Amino acid sequence: MALLALVPWFTGSVFHFHIAIMVCLGAMAAAGLATIAWVGQLSLAHGAFVGIGAYTCVLLVTRLDMPFLVGLPAAAVFSGAVAYIIGTPLLRLRGVYFVLITFALNELFRLVMLEFPSVSGGSSGIAGIPKISLFGWELRDQSQVYVFTLLMLAAVMALLWTIRRGPLGRWFSAVEENMALAESSGIPTARTQNMAFVIGSGIAGFTGAIMAHYIGFISPVTFAFQLSVSYVIILVVGGRLALAGPLVGALFLVPLPEFLRSAQEYQHIIYGVVLIIVLRFLPAGLTALPGKLSQWRRSGE
């Protein structure tokens, strides 16, 4: 992982720096989704929470002249607060019902943003968003943005590692494994699921704030249903329950469309075939590949 992170500096290519930044952003957002998956839920509203964080930070910076370092944590907190308000009733739903209601929420967010152009810019969006600024120092060079994004990804992964190894992580695992048994063991399952939803959505909002200021443009279409699906695919391909799943999935899937650009006519077909192959032979995700290779080697012997 460390060697792959250094690739953009070895090549010095602006394109490689851009891909690396997008990998970090994809891994961060998928890490938030992983937290929700750890309690046995799958949200299709993750793109909406990325959008809530993006709009929160952008409006604070552009309308209220707040510094980016105030807007960034505010985006995470506000996204988490929205998740807490809607999560309390919605997390009573399980399985396909929760998936469907989160899909509806993602579409509702997009439509509401389109109906309030004074806030979201409507279909025209908000352009000319200031670049990331740290204590008055603007990150203009892509290599600087990459360092910042990499550090933020490391912080998010450290948070997930801390949760996974602590008592909260054990609660998450118990709820995902058997909710009825966890409840009978004294674990507050409803509160545990809501906590995971709040943490995951807060991470999504945090990612959205960085994404908005890096790209420099956002609109309601940016956070449509397709964005939520892409995060689900990153997580599932990387490994839904593995700590490194979001990172591995982003490393594999985010650069893939760019490298298939030369075969643009067949890009989506190739992309689909790759996904089917991965999910067919590695249902636990790419993080299970070393174990599978070891198993195949032993069976061959």
Side-chain angles (χ1 to χ4, degrees), residues 26-36 38 46 153 156-157 160 200 203 235 246:
M28 265 194 283
L33 191 60
T35 312
I36 302 168
W38 288 351
H46 209 60
L153 173 61
V156 168
M157 295 307 294
L160 262 65
I203 293 171
L235 180 62

Side-chain angles (χ1 to χ4, degrees), residues 20 35 44 47 49 61 71 79 159 162 190 219 229 237 265 291:
T35 312
L44 286 181
F49 286 103
V61 171
S79 297
L159 173 64
T162 305
S219 76
V229 172
V237 169
E265 299 171 3

